[in-house]
Amino acid sequence: ADDGLYRALGGDAGIARIVDGMIDRAYADERIKQKFDGVNPKALKESIRKQFCQLSGGPCVYEGETMAKSHAHLALNKADFNALVEDLQFAMEEQRVPFAVQNRLLALLAPMHREIITR
Ligand code: HEM
């Protein structure tokens, strides 16, 4: 598989920094933080790191739940989804990820809204 995006994101270390930044922001984000009540941030980061690694062509296997199953109980709407995407964009900006590379990752995540947004 083509690991170009994985490498452009900085490999495992780069993706870890991006995901840490995104999740730290989300847990402090007044718009969505209540959705993360009682959720262990370490485990969530680990899961999303693996997902992003695999999605970007890296040598990882995501072993978590489907997006539908892991988000169903959260009753997420479009605004929730957009808020988390914004937190991710800030995290990538912070890591100086080039805009075109940011957009390649976002394009892979965008179709997931069909499974994640349930109201
Ligand atoms: C493209 C958007 C999203 C992606 C790629 C994503 C990815 C993930 C992944 C990989 C997991 C872990 C599943 C597992 O380990 O089995 C997860 C869980 C979770 N996500 Fe998302 N997510 C997205 C959107 C959102 C949004 C918008 C929210 C809330 C505002 C959210 C809140 C959560 C919470 C709270 C959990 C933990 C659920 C639990 O353990 O009970 N996610 N997400």
Side-chain angles (χ1 to χ4, degrees):
D2 178 1
D3 67 351
L5 179 56
Y6 169 77
R7 286 188 286 105
L9 291 168
D12 283 342
I15 289 171
R17 286 192 295 269
I18 292 164
V19 172
D20 285 359
M22 170 177 84
I23 295 302
D24 289 347
R25 271 184 187 278
Y27 273 68
D29 188 332
E30 295 296 341
R31 298 171 295 179
I32 53 173
K33 66 181 200 184
Q34 79 285 355
K35 301 289 185 186
F36 297 91
D37 278 356
V39 174
N40 175 356
K42 254 190 96 183
L44 183 57
K45 285 173 177 176
E46 185 60 27
S47 198
I48 297 179
R49 268 184 221 150
K50 284 215 183 106
Q51 184 194 41
F52 283 11
C53 169
Q54 180 176 54
L55 202 59
S56 62
C60 313
V61 180
Y62 171 69
E63 290 168 322
E65 281 295 348
T66 64
M67 291 301 91
K69 200 161 182 193
S70 47
H71 297 91
H73 64 292
L74 298 169
L76 299 174
N77 63 22
K78 196 163 192 273
D80 299 322
F81 189 88
N82 290 341
L84 187 67
V85 167
E86 233 175 79
D87 292 337
L88 170 58
Q89 286 175 304
F90 269 108
M92 290 195 287
E93 206 53 49
E94 214 164 53
Q95 294 303 322
R96 308 272 190 276
V97 175
F99 190 62
V101 176
Q102 296 185 24
N103 283 340
R104 283 168 67 196
L105 178 61
L106 293 173
L108 295 174
L109 299 178
M112 295 179 183
H113 78 268
R114 288 189 213 93
E115 281 195 68
I116 291 171
I117 297 173
T118 53
R119 74 178 175 102

